[in-house]
Amino acid sequence: YGSYEELLQDPKVSVVYIGSIHSYHYQHTMLALQHGKHVLVEKPISVNKSQAEDMFKLATENNLFLMEAMWTFFFPTFIKAQELIKSGEIGDVYFCQSDFGFPFPKDVPRLWDPNMAGGCLLDIGVYPISICMSLLTNGKEDPLEIKATGVVEKGIDIFGTVTARYDNNKMFVASWHSLVQTESSTLIMGTKGSIKIQAPSHAPTNLTLTLHSPTRGTDGKVTTFSYPLPSDDNGVGLNFPGSTGFLYEAQAVQQCILLQKNQSDVVSHEHSLRVMSVIDEVKKQIALKYPFE
């Protein structure tokens, strides 16, 4: 194809995956929807909630599938964590903590350019925020209070942390960093035990379930669950670790479209909008605003 328009005019194309730079997610998604294509768009779905609302509105009006590509939620390890929480295995869940950080390479211009929505909040901070919101409330509640801190330099954020408090004494802490390697894991705490999604929790293959011992202050039964990544049978070179895990998400999107659904139950429009609401508030509190906003 010579252009995006040419691709989108091809009647043999029914669904497109948009993995362009953050600042183009809105433009490219709207273009695809206007051409009647179903869309899977990389996280974050947009740079702010207003854009996301427009995108979901257009998709719904035209009965087209649209989903934010939060691939993490389709990994068997993450699904197992949700099942353990739902079954009451760790009791009532009150706290979740997640982080993601690594030294950003200096030779990738988009990461450092505010005109491309650079920085680490949108690039990797969206992961711990979205993960915590899914595990703590299934993405169905808005926080009562949000407190964020971070550093913005030359128009982009360098690192940050957000604490969100919910009704019924629930809280999460999500952190992101572009200067240092963090543990990049997720911990969910309940009244009967805890679940640790081992690093990298955005593309997880292992989790540890720890149940409290009747003896105060000691750990009881510890169980590890492992789900290896799909193999790369074709020998295709991969740019990022764990990339074969995209298979889970792709299969889920295919199934949704075959069932004529316009959204996923796993990464719903509602969930993505709630995440963008938190991100918007974080941006406000740390004084992060991109030139094009």
Side-chain angles (χ1 to χ4, degrees), residues 84-85 88-93 188-195 209:
L84 291 170
I85 293 170
E89 194 75 22
I90 61 171
D92 296 325
V93 175
I188 311 102
M189 303 292 293
T191 53
K192 296 181 180 179
S194 64
I195 297 168
L209 167 67

Side-chain angles (χ1 to χ4, degrees), residues 70-291:
M70 185 52 66
W71 67 322
T72 306
F73 292 3
F74 299 93
F75 277 71
T77 302
F78 193 84
I79 293 171
K80 181 63 177 180
Q82 290 179 313
E83 289 174 349
L84 291 170
I85 293 170
K86 187 176 181 180
S87 68
E89 194 75 22
I90 61 171
D92 296 325
V93 175
Y94 286 106
F95 181 71
C96 186
Q97 178 178 311
S98 185
D99 68 279
F100 193 1
F102 62 92
F104 276 15
K106 299 296 184 181
D107 59 349
V108 181
R110 71 168 184 85
L111 294 174
W112 307 96
D113 189 346
N115 292 299
M116 295 183 182
C120 58
L121 172 59
L122 294 188
D123 201 66
I124 60 175
V126 63
Y127 279 118
I129 292 172
S130 192
I131 287 171
C132 285
M133 293 179 73
S134 177
L135 294 174
L136 197 61
T137 71
N138 203 27
K140 296 185 181 300
E141 296 179 35
D142 290 313
L144 297 176
E145 182 181 29
I146 297 171
K147 292 185 177 180
T149 185
V151 170
V152 175
E153 295 180 354
K154 298 180 180 179
I156 63 168
D157 70 299
I158 305 301
F159 59 83
T161 295
V162 60
T163 300
R165 180 176 64 85
Y166 290 84
D167 194 14
N168 298 322
N169 297 319
K170 294 181 179 182
M171 184 177 77
F172 78 72
V173 178
S175 302
W176 52 97
H177 217 296
S178 67
L179 301 179
V180 298
Q181 179 73 50
T182 69
E183 187 173 351
S184 298
S185 62
T186 297
L187 182 66
I188 311 102
M189 303 292 293
T191 53
K192 296 181 180 179
S194 64
I195 297 168
K196 184 172 185 178
I197 302 177
Q198 305 290 348
S201 60
H202 73 288
T205 55
N206 298 283
L207 70 79
T208 302
L209 167 67
T210 302
L211 300 179
H212 296 327
S213 168
T215 305
R216 193 172 187 179
T218 62
D219 290 333
K221 183 180 179 182
V222 178
T223 307
T224 299
F225 298 88
S226 297
Y227 302 90
L229 289 166
S231 62
D232 179 18
D233 295 330
N234 296 322
V236 178
L238 302 173
N239 292 323
F240 301 101
S243 290
T244 55
F246 279 112
L247 175 66
Y248 304 128
E249 180 180 62
Q251 291 173 332
V253 170
Q254 180 189 46
Q255 189 64 20
C256 283
I257 292 173
L258 290 174
L259 292 174
Q260 299 183 326
K261 300 175 68 172
N262 70 355
Q263 64 177 296
S264 164
D265 295 330
V266 178
V267 188
S268 66
H269 295 179
E270 177 186 18
H271 174 80
S272 293
L273 288 172
R274 284 201 161 97
V275 170
M276 288 312 304
S277 289
V278 171
I279 288 176
D280 279 356
E281 182 59 25
V282 171
K283 288 164 61 182
K284 178 182 177 182
Q285 291 189 23
I286 68 174
L288 174 63
K289 188 173 183 179
Y290 304 111

Side-chain angles (χ1 to χ4, degrees), residues 4 17-26 28 41-43:
Y4 293 145
Y17 164 70
I18 294 172
S20 53
I21 293 169
H22 309 323
S23 52
Y24 287 99
H25 286 185
Y26 176 77
H28 292 159
V41 56
E42 256 308 327
K43 55 79 209 164

